[in-house]
Amino acid sequence: MSEFVVDGRWLALGKDGRLTAFVRTRGGLLRWTEEAPGGPKWTGPDFIETPELSHITVAQGADGYWHLLGRRVGRGTGGTPAVDFVLATQFQTGRPITEWRELGSPSKDPARAAMAGPPVGAVSASGRLHLFVRHAGGGVSLRREGRRGAWDGWKNLQGQHAIDGFAAVTTSAGLIELLAPADNGRTMQWAQSEPDGEVERRPNLRISPAPGTAVALETSPGRVTYYWVDAETGGILCHRVGDWIIPLGGAPAAGRLTALRAVLDGYDCTVLAHWGYDGQVMLAACGSENEGGGLWWSPTGEATACAPLLALDAYGRVVIGTVDSSGALRIVRQSDEPGLVMRPGVRV
């Protein structure tokens, strides 16, 4: 039921301390907004009309802006779809978004443009939006905002055998990293050496994330951990450059994992959630970068029609966003009890 939800940071905190959630619906998006920081009441849904999109993702920077990136599919000539990418931005919580802006496609040839994959976005510390897509040759293309607001042209970052499901992250130092799974068991990496610098190729990783399951999280200053579902076994794994691959246990997962850092009982922790094959949302936590000590996955009692998302509210409480089978938003919020105890879910 992935048509009900957008990818990326579709549940996120604004500068004013209120959460916003975007959910896909026929013809556009539904948007809910917390009435006050920390909830529990929400306003909405507000309907946001979109072009004919096959995919949409939400990227958010340190400035709190929500960038909605879409893969637009129109009618081309000779039966070939006309595919390009579009952008709209919400600058303030609860305010209208901008008009949709055309960003073009990595290829001018309609047949090759139609082979471009879903968009993935990341925002630099200076607020420059980076758009990554898989191009027709199986590599990665980048288009990003220039230093003065105008957009640079498309750049081919090379690579080969890429499949859908890129994972991008911006570190606290303002550096963007990109993970691009491939169908040959050699997952590709790119990263910046300096803020707003070139996005440079890094050595491949011998891992095989299932398409659309990988997520990247900064787990200590400047150090990124990748979490994913293994394409062969369905098991959940994680890896940091220079470390071993660590199995995280739990039942086989479906869809993208979600991860965040939170302070639990005074400790810096990593919280993980995934969507099981039975539709159940599973939750686990561990000390940040201490996955090797073991995780204990617990069912939340929430069923979902798509991969869940994690966020922190204005008070630092963990919040799980899910979408039920009717397309409605559900919110599960951390209680005031010690540890990671979640309250019953509420339909918004």
Side-chain angles (χ1 to χ4, degrees):
M1 303 295 289
S2 60
E3 67 271 24
F4 286 137
V5 69
V6 293
D7 200 2
R9 299 191 64 180
W10 60 265
L11 175 68
L13 197 65
K15 279 292 190 180
D16 65 352
R18 291 188 292 160
L19 288 167
T20 296
F22 297 93
V23 172
R24 187 80 176 271
T25 190
R26 185 180 299 276
L29 297 172
L30 297 178
R31 182 189 67 186
W32 285 265
T33 307
E34 278 188 320
E35 286 189 1
K41 295 183 178 180
W42 295 68
T43 62
D46 302 314
F47 177 72
I48 298 173
E49 187 174 0
T50 68
E52 290 293 325
L53 304 178
S54 65
H55 299 81
I56 188 167
T57 189
V58 182
Q60 189 187 39
D63 53 16
Y65 299 168
W66 290 262
H67 302 282
L68 312 178
L69 291 160
R71 180 181 184 271
R72 180 171 61 179
V73 182
R75 294 183 179 181
T77 58
T80 300
V83 173
D84 64 354
F85 294 88
V86 293
L87 163 70
T89 302
Q90 177 180 294
F91 292 106
Q92 290 181 290
T93 305
R95 301 295 297 168
I97 69 167
T98 64
E99 294 184 356
W100 292 90
R101 174 178 179 174
E102 298 181 359
L103 297 178
S105 173
S107 177
K108 294 182 179 179
D109 177 70
R112 292 182 65 81
M115 298 170 67
V120 176
V123 185
S124 72
S126 66
R128 295 173 65 186
L129 177 61
H130 292 57
L131 165 62
F132 300 96
V133 301
R134 173 183 51 78
H135 60 60
V140 177
S141 288
L142 163 68
R143 192 170 188 197
R144 65 178 181 177
E145 287 183 287
R147 296 184 184 277
R148 297 184 179 180
W151 280 75
D152 298 338
W154 286 96
K155 181 176 182 179
N156 187 353
L157 300 182
Q158 304 302 321
Q160 56 185 349
H161 298 286
I163 59 177
D164 294 344
F166 296 178
V169 66
T170 304
T171 70
S172 55
L175 305 178
I176 291 173
E177 293 194 17
L178 176 74
L179 186 81
D183 62 9
N184 61 355
R186 297 176 181 267
T187 291
M188 297 174 286
Q189 294 184 97
W190 284 262
Q192 293 175 322
S193 298
E194 59 181 9
D196 287 326
E198 295 300 316
V199 182
E200 302 165 335
R201 187 76 180 268
R202 296 288 189 262
N204 291 344
L205 298 175
R206 291 183 176 272
I207 62 176
S208 298
T213 64
V215 64
L217 178 70
E218 185 182 30
T219 48
S220 64
R223 189 169 163 92
V224 173
T225 301
Y226 297 106
Y227 302 89
W228 71 93
V229 177
D230 183 70
E232 183 175 346
T233 67
I236 303 171
L237 305 171
C238 79
H239 175 67
R240 286 177 288 278
V241 174
D243 282 355
W244 300 100
I245 295 174
I246 302 173
L248 303 183
R256 188 181 298 276
L257 301 176
T258 183
L260 59 72
R261 285 173 63 189
V263 177
L264 301 177
D265 298 335
Y267 294 96
D268 179 1
C269 295
T270 295
V271 181
L272 298 164
H274 76 80
W275 179 27
Y277 281 103
D278 61 356
Q280 177 79 243
V281 177
M282 304 294 293
L283 188 67
C286 65
S288 290
E289 300 197 351
N290 190 34
E291 297 91 350
L295 286 85
W296 289 266
W297 293 93
S298 301
T300 62
E302 288 292 312
T304 182
C306 62
L309 199 74
L310 293 169
L312 295 178
D313 70 10
Y315 299 104
R317 295 175 298 195
V318 175
V319 178
I320 306 174
T322 68
V323 180
D324 68 20
S325 59
S326 69
L329 173 68
R330 290 184 63 84
I331 293 294
V332 184
R333 202 179 301 258
Q334 183 182 359
S335 74
D336 296 328
E337 298 179 44
L340 186 59
V341 178
M342 307 302 292
R343 296 172 179 167
V346 177
R347 180 171 176 166
V348 177

